[in-house]
Amino acid sequence: MKNLLNYTSEELALEIQPKFRVQQLFQWIYQKYADDFSQMTSLPKELRERLGQNYHFKSLECIRKEESKDGSVKYLFQLKDKELIETVFLPMKKELRDEKGKVLQEAKYTICVSSQVGCKSGCSFCLTAKDGFKRNLEAAEIVEQILYIKREKNIAYEKRVNIVYMGMGEPLDNLKNVAKAVRIISEDDTLAIAPKRQTISTSGLAKQIKELGKMNLGVLLAISLHAVDDELRSELMPINKAYNIAQIIEALKEFPINQRKRLMFEYLLIAGVNDSLEHAKKLVKLLEGIRAKVNLILFNPHFGAIYKRPSMQDAIAFQDYLSSKRIVCTIRESKGLDISAACGQLSKKGKR
Ligand code: SAH
Ligand code: SF4
């Protein structure tokens, strides 16, 4: 049985003709949220039967779900081989209407997807790293995380959804399947999530940053920087020994970005480790000449962690310094702190 969520429409048109049947089939799956082929009444019966014999479009089973007071929801999915991954749904803006019911502000959602089971990068602050690396996700397993949530939340096709590849795993270590997922979900007949609404976050695999750049997909890129000198960065992120800061910056300079967009640098603030004003000064220097935006993240403590979360006051001081040097800088809103929000935490709780 082949998984339909692994196909772009062009690829599927090689197996199913005429082409408009592919379009109809995709609309049933991705837009009308059909559960099985029998519901796809606009397709001829024999095609539905043939599809049922050869294809499926479900491989994730949700075995645990935690909903936060702030509306974010964390899903624990079991894959066919029993491995576990997490996906997070983040409502960023509520829909606002006036007395007459006219929409004043559209709802905005972000879905944070996993790209691998485990991760090879081995960052010392990250829970996903703890169990090492198991395997890459297939494109279909990435796509279904989004489809599952849109279907469950009954989010209409045309509603705006942003995707961040910031769940478990290093997306650029699974570049082929991640790039495929980007292409699949951006098609009009599927989820129509434009590449510019998709952000790939990487621990800095310079070689793959270049490869991704050459693909010219139109996605946004976020670099998990977290430290401004190689010594500290290698301590926090062992992958830095393979690709150091200079190599990452060099790769970024070639990366195609839309004129109105910026490269995002994520900087995880860890109390007493990388959150001083000295670090902020070095960061400003490092980013000279790059159209950058810095997103400060406060370390999310988890059981057994050796690091501490800095105070909001210290984070704001760090932000103020960057802003005073005209670097666009935000502090990431901590969503779902009450639901084991840092990546990897829910899967550690298992199936209880
Ligand atoms: N592997 C990719 C994407 C997944 S991790 C990457 O590292 O960029 C997504 C983000 O979560 C990264 O910026 C990572 O550094 C951050 N992160 C990991 N553990 C965290 C923790 N305990 N608290 C806060 N952020 C964390
Ligand atoms: Fe992997 Fe990202 Fe976690 Fe580092 S922070 S171990 S790269 S998932």
Side-chain angles (χ1 to χ4, degrees):
M1 293 283 251
K2 295 185 272 189
N3 192 335
L4 286 169
L5 306 190
N6 266 323
Y7 288 82
T8 62
S9 52
E10 218 166 275
E11 287 167 347
L12 195 56
L14 299 173
E15 295 176 25
I16 294 169
Q17 285 97 25
K19 203 176 170 190
F20 76 91
R21 294 294 182 203
V22 172
Q23 197 174 15
Q24 287 177 317
L25 171 62
F26 274 180
Q27 287 168 356
W28 277 110
I29 295 176
Y30 289 103
Q31 299 171 15
K32 297 186 230 177
Y33 304 136
D35 274 315
D36 60 72
F37 296 114
S38 65
Q39 294 171 347
M40 305 181 183
T41 44
S42 61
L43 300 179
K45 196 154 176 280
E46 17 169 277
L47 176 60
R48 284 184 317 213
E49 278 169 13
R50 182 155 71 86
L51 286 168
Q53 283 155 10
N54 297 293
Y55 302 93
H56 71 97
F57 53 93
K58 283 186 182 167
S59 65
L60 304 189
E61 194 194 337
C62 180
I63 58 167
R64 194 182 166 113
K65 209 164 82 175
E66 286 185 0
E67 195 155 352
S68 164
K69 287 195 235 41
D70 62 25
S72 53
V73 186
K74 191 150 187 172
Y75 297 79
L76 183 63
F77 290 116
Q78 187 168 54
L79 309 172
K80 285 266 185 256
D81 56 2
K82 306 285 181 215
E83 296 290 356
L84 302 176
I85 53 161
E86 299 172 7
T87 312
V88 188
F89 171 75
L90 300 151
M92 308 304 275
K93 273 191 192 152
K94 284 213 172 91
E95 184 180 271
L96 293 180
R97 291 174 183 260
D98 64 11
E99 316 85 66
K100 290 182 189 128
K102 197 173 143 238
V103 177
L104 298 174
Q105 175 185 283
E106 290 264 357
K108 240 173 96 180
Y109 309 107
T110 295
I111 297 176
C112 174
V113 298
S114 291
S115 56
Q116 297 180 313
V117 182
C119 183
K120 288 180 208 157
S121 295
C123 304
S124 59
F125 48 80
C126 173
L127 214 49
T128 301
K130 292 280 176 282
D131 290 338
F133 172 73
K134 295 270 174 51
R135 70 168 173 91
N136 282 330
L137 293 190
E138 281 179 30
E141 290 167 327
I142 299 171
V143 171
E144 194 179 344
Q145 295 171 55
I146 303 159
L147 175 58
Y148 186 100
I149 292 175
K150 279 197 76 179
R151 189 202 289 129
E152 192 206 69
K153 295 258 165 213
N154 210 5
I155 297 174
Y157 163 71
E158 64 284 349
K159 279 267 184 302
R160 198 205 265 190
V161 175
N162 293 314
I163 304 301
V164 291
Y165 296 82
M166 294 185 185
M168 299 165 77
E170 167 50 56
L172 294 192
D173 189 38
N174 185 15
L175 179 55
K176 193 168 138 254
N177 295 344
V178 168
K180 180 126 194 226
V182 169
R183 288 201 178 97
I184 292 173
I185 65 173
S186 61
E187 284 194 38
D188 280 345
D189 293 329
T190 65
L191 297 170
I193 303 172
K196 65 172 186 214
R197 300 207 180 290
Q198 303 185 46
T199 302
I200 295 183
S201 174
T202 177
S203 53
L205 277 53
K207 186 166 150 266
Q208 285 89 330
I209 291 174
K210 288 185 185 172
E211 267 175 59
L212 177 68
K214 288 205 186 93
M215 288 179 181
N216 226 334
L217 295 177
V219 287
L220 306 184
L221 189 62
I223 310 298
S224 293
L225 192 64
H226 308 341
V228 282
D229 62 81
D230 283 319
E231 196 186 341
L232 178 61
R233 194 165 191 273
S234 297
E235 198 183 305
L236 298 173
M237 308 176 73
I239 186 75
N240 194 65
K241 292 173 197 151
Y243 300 108
N244 64 23
I245 299 177
Q247 286 169 304
I248 298 172
I249 299 286
E250 190 228 354
L252 292 178
K253 289 201 165 143
E254 295 169 18
F255 194 82
I257 34 169
N258 183 308
Q259 281 303 303
R260 292 195 310 270
K261 302 278 181 187
R262 290 170 190 275
L263 276 171
M264 175 144 72
F265 288 84
E266 294 164 276
Y267 193 94
L268 178 69
L269 290 169
I270 307 175
V273 173
N274 65 355
D275 62 340
S276 74
L277 226 50
E278 280 311 304
H279 293 109
K281 280 183 189 159
K282 281 194 191 161
L283 182 56
V284 170
K285 238 180 140 181
L286 188 69
L287 298 182
E288 236 166 59
I290 302 177
R291 272 180 64 81
K293 174 185 165 182
V294 174
N295 195 210
L296 299 173
I297 314 170
L298 275 71
F299 173 68
N300 221 335
H302 45 78
F303 185 74
I306 52 171
Y307 300 120
K308 291 209 164 57
R309 187 180 176 87
S311 67
M312 192 41 108
Q313 227 172 341
D314 287 349
I316 291 172
F318 202 99
Q319 179 190 31
D320 283 349
Y321 182 80
L322 295 187
S323 303
S324 75
K325 299 292 172 193
R326 284 198 217 93
I327 291 185
V328 183
C329 177
T330 50
I331 298 180
R332 181 175 301 167
E333 230 183 299
S334 276
K335 287 209 170 259
L337 267 180
D338 53 332
I339 55 162
S340 10
C343 63
Q345 291 189 4
L346 190 60
S347 68
K348 292 289 175 298
K349 286 191 181 171
K351 300 174 210 172
R352 275 179 294 140

